[in-house]
Amino acid sequence: MVTRLLRLLVEIVSCTLLIGLLTPVQADWFEDVAESAGVDFRYDSGMQGQFFFPEIMGGGAALLDYDRDGLLDLYLVQGGAIGPGIGPDERQRGDRLYRNVSRQDEDGQWRLAFEDVTEAAGIDARGYGMGAAVGDYDGNGYPDLYILNFGDNQLWRNDGDGTFTDVTAEVGVNDPRWSVSGSFADHDGDGLLDLMVVNYADYSVEDNKVCRASGTSRQDYCSPSAYPPAGDSLFRNLGQGRFEDVTASAGLGDDKGHGLGVISADLDGDGRVDIYVANDGSPNYFWINRGEGRFSDDAMLAGNAVNSDGASEASMGVDAGDYDDDGDEDIFLTHLRRESNTLYRNDGQGWFDDVSNASGLASPSLPMTGFGTAFVDVDLDGRLDLPVVNGAVTEEPELAAKDDPFPYHQPNQLFLGGEGGRFADRSADAGAAFSRSRSSRGAAFGDLDNDGRVDMVVVNVNAPAEVLLNRMSPEARWLGIEPVDAEGRIVTGTRAWLVDGERLRLLRRSRRDGSYASASDPRIVLGLGARSDAVEVELRWPDGLRERFGPLDVGRYHRLTRATGEESNL
């Protein structure tokens, strides 16, 4: 009897091993290729044990096709030494610009590769970097860079020949405060991109306060409430290379919050671009565009200032997208540990409801402190998903108890959109990129290898940056759109729908802002699942013009030109 049982046990074990060998191993959904692609970058916070507040808050990334060769390039802001008397001249390392030099092999497979062209591009940016914003402010067709620092900001004009020029002083957009995020958008409808700059705390290293970890005598980073808010800035583009500070006249000057994230979008459906600001520890701002250069904050009345319990949260990352496919854009915010991330559903007229619990996003986020995020369709099934990158800002007790030298790291998360407006936490299935624990901040999203799948670049505090190639759903179909004007300049703010019979579906908007301290790919990607036939799309340009294009072949990017009905493949 014993012999028979042993023989049966051996057979069961053998079958189990055989099944394991025959079952294909699921590939990671995102693969970190930073090292092999030549991105050797590490954000240096300058930590020296004095707990200067900015050390725990940076930095960001920007994706932009600066040389207009059809491939997204990468800009990464750098921190560095911080302390009394330390300025840009004392910092050895500065921001880096990486040119995308990827090529297709003979088998048609892309091999992602970047080369550091910072010096060749003429960029010398050694401020204490927090974030980056992108926009073609001078209308020459080449994207410019606005660098947000703890200290003086910089505007780098893209000269169109592979080089950049620092034009901050002559253009009039310097903000010497602690800036984190920015948004280029045409707020007044004159065809020129204005600039919203979101600032954090009124802080100096000379006035650094001593705070303690909860329930201990150990020094730790202070909360923003230890310092007054700095106040934001709105710069109006006057044309001919000049901006004017219109913060006060626009109605934004009296209110001050600890601002971290920002989006510019028409959220109330009146045809004017509004501004939404994520504030850390105080009510968020919903600056409704009233026309004629005036804004008013209606966040409390609109329902997107605080959560459903009436509490302000530590808002960091932010984005807007139509997650429920009802034709308007909703808002998602990332928050501090023990505060759930928040999803506000838009009713189409700028009135919002907190649906965080009903959507399935609340509970999984409670242990985390979220920063960069975006509404993106990572698996191309037609539903928007939400990657979130995490990292603590005060020590994690369990890590500190183990004498971890940097007890602020957390794993990142991936929430996939599903039926009924619900999201599923699939972080455990996403692979190593979402299981390793780092202190992540900025995240930029875009298609680095032009295969239709949205990739990610993640900036980590005192750890290597990650270039995450999307390996999900290689069989899924998609359609890419680059909306341009008659001169071939990208028109951000353009909205696109899939024409599906009598219904318009899959609202997506061209934008660069959102996330945290970062700028993303302005191209639009429509995930089509298994659909392989050519499709028709409707574009609504920022000036209100509606235009239909198609049928358009799937599986490629199309450049669609305003007021012409013309399209060309990219």
Side-chain angles (χ1 to χ4, degrees):
M1 182 68 176
V2 173
T3 302
R4 187 179 302 170
L5 287 174
L6 287 174
R7 190 175 300 161
L8 179 61
L9 180 62
V10 169
E11 290 177 357
I12 293 173
V13 171
S14 299
C15 289
T16 302
L17 292 174
L18 180 60
I19 291 172
L21 291 172
L22 294 177
T23 302
V25 177
Q26 176 180 302
D28 286 357
W29 286 350
F30 287 85
E31 178 187 1
D32 184 5
V33 297
E35 183 177 358
S36 63
V39 179
D40 54 345
F41 183 88
R42 180 186 182 95
Y43 183 84
D44 175 15
S45 73
M47 289 179 177
Q48 298 180 10
Q50 299 183 69
F51 294 89
F52 293 130
F53 196 7
E55 296 171 347
I56 201 66
M57 299 304 294
L63 292 173
L64 70 163
D65 183 6
Y66 85 93
D67 53 0
R68 295 187 61 179
D69 66 350
L71 297 172
L72 286 175
D73 310 300
L74 172 61
Y75 189 93
L76 294 164
V77 303
Q78 182 59 279
I82 187 173
I86 297 177
D89 292 340
E90 287 74 38
R91 297 193 181 100
Q92 298 300 312
R93 288 176 288 182
D95 300 357
R96 308 311 296 174
L97 175 64
Y98 293 89
R99 181 171 179 254
N100 191 333
V101 293
S102 305
R103 294 292 181 268
Q104 283 181 298
D105 291 345
E106 293 181 357
D107 59 1
Q109 297 297 311
W110 281 92
R111 296 294 179 263
L112 197 65
F114 290 88
E115 63 178 7
D116 189 332
V117 295
T118 313
E119 282 74 28
I123 293 177
D124 184 14
R126 298 177 187 274
Y128 191 90
M130 296 301 300
V134 176
D136 180 11
Y137 84 91
D138 57 357
N140 70 347
Y142 290 85
D144 309 297
L145 276 162
Y146 188 76
I147 309 307
L148 303 115
N149 295 318
F150 170 60
D152 290 318
N153 297 336
Q154 287 181 295
L155 176 60
W156 289 95
R157 183 188 66 207
N158 190 334
D159 297 324
D161 59 359
T163 66
F164 289 78
T165 301
D166 183 354
V167 295
T168 315
E170 64 190 73
V171 169
V173 290
N174 183 36
D175 194 323
R177 295 171 291 179
W178 181 357
S179 304
V180 177
S181 295
S183 172
F184 281 99
D186 183 9
H187 297 112
D188 54 6
D190 64 355
L192 302 172
L193 293 182
D194 310 301
L195 175 62
M196 178 70 179
V197 176
V198 170
N199 296 312
Y200 193 42
D202 185 3
Y203 168 90
S204 68
V205 293
E206 292 80 6
D207 190 35
N208 188 63
K209 302 182 187 303
V210 175
C211 297
R212 305 292 177 184
S214 178
T216 76
S217 61
R218 295 189 300 275
Q219 188 174 352
D220 202 354
Y221 290 99
C222 295
S223 75
S225 61
Y227 303 95
D232 304 327
S233 295
L234 178 62
F235 297 97
R236 180 172 180 251
N237 192 337
L238 304 176
Q240 299 183 356
R242 291 290 301 170
F243 284 79
E244 175 188 10
D245 187 340
V246 295
T247 311
S249 62
L252 279 66
D254 294 333
D255 294 315
K256 292 185 178 181
H258 292 91
L260 289 176
V262 62
I263 50 176
S264 295
D266 178 12
L267 294 171
D268 59 359
D270 66 356
R272 294 187 290 262
V273 178
D274 310 303
I275 303 171
Y276 188 85
V277 178
N279 288 320
D280 186 359
S282 59
N284 302 311
Y285 293 143
F286 181 26
W287 293 110
I288 294 182
N289 191 334
R290 301 300 184 186
E292 299 182 350
R294 296 287 301 176
F295 293 80
S296 63
D297 175 26
D298 271 10
M300 281 294 184
L301 185 61
N304 55 19
V306 295
N307 66 16
S308 58
D309 295 326
S312 300
E313 297 173 293
S315 303
M316 270 80 82
V318 62
D319 198 20
D322 184 13
Y323 84 96
D324 53 358
D325 197 20
D326 66 350
D328 54 59
E329 292 189 271
D330 313 289
I331 297 173
F332 178 72
L333 293 155
T334 59
H335 293 125
L336 194 67
R337 181 181 58 187
R338 299 192 185 95
E339 297 176 352
S340 70
N341 294 338
T342 303
L343 177 62
Y344 293 111
R345 184 177 59 204
N346 189 348
D347 74 346
Q349 296 180 322
W351 305 101
F352 292 82
D353 290 314
D354 181 348
V355 295
S356 309
N357 284 306
S359 67
L361 290 168
S363 294
S365 64
L366 286 171
M368 306 298 178
T369 294
F371 280 87
T373 189
F375 279 110
V376 287
D377 184 359
V378 295
D379 54 1
L380 298 176
D381 67 348
R383 301 186 186 98
L384 288 175
D385 312 302
L386 283 165
V388 178
V389 304
N390 300 311
V393 292
T394 56
E395 67 175 28
E396 295 281 71
E398 63 276 12
L399 297 177
K402 299 176 182 178
D403 294 323
D404 191 299
F406 187 61
Y408 302 94
H409 50 88
Q410 299 173 339
N412 297 330
Q413 294 175 293
L414 178 61
F415 301 95
L416 295 187
E419 294 286 350
R422 288 190 58 83
F423 290 82
D425 184 357
R426 300 295 302 277
S427 311
D429 303 316
F434 284 82
S435 62
R436 71 168 63 103
S437 190
R438 288 177 173 173
S439 190
S440 302
R441 294 295 180 257
F445 300 84
D447 186 1
L448 297 173
D449 52 1
N450 288 338
D451 66 353
R453 292 176 286 184
V454 178
D455 311 301
M456 298 173 55
V457 175
V458 181
V459 178
N460 302 301
V461 183
N462 298 331
E466 296 166 284
V467 178
L468 304 181
L469 273 188
N470 186 341
R471 303 300 193 190
M472 298 182 72
S473 308
E475 73 287 345
R477 303 292 182 168
W478 57 277
L479 177 78
I481 299 170
E482 184 180 82
V484 299
D485 63 15
E487 285 74 37
R489 299 172 295 200
I490 293 180
V491 184
T492 53
T494 302
R495 291 176 291 172
W497 280 266
L498 173 68
V499 179
D500 193 359
E502 297 299 317
R503 186 186 173 204
L504 299 180
R505 299 184 52 246
L506 306 185
L507 165 63
R508 304 290 184 264
R509 175 173 51 88
S510 171
R511 88 279 198 203
R512 299 183 189 269
D513 59 10
S515 189
Y516 175 82
S518 298
S520 295
D521 187 352
R523 295 175 298 179
I524 296 169
V525 175
L526 298 174
L528 302 174
R531 183 169 180 169
S532 60
D533 55 313
V535 300
E536 184 180 7
V537 298
E538 178 169 305
L539 265 56
R540 297 184 189 177
W541 304 89
D543 62 2
L545 176 66
R546 297 188 181 188
E547 213 169 358
R548 291 199 175 187
F549 296 82
L552 302 174
D553 293 335
V554 303
R556 66 180 60 179
Y557 284 94
H558 300 263
R559 178 174 288 140
L560 306 183
T561 305
R562 181 193 175 280
T564 67
E566 296 178 357
E567 64 91 9
S568 56
N569 296 331
L570 293 175

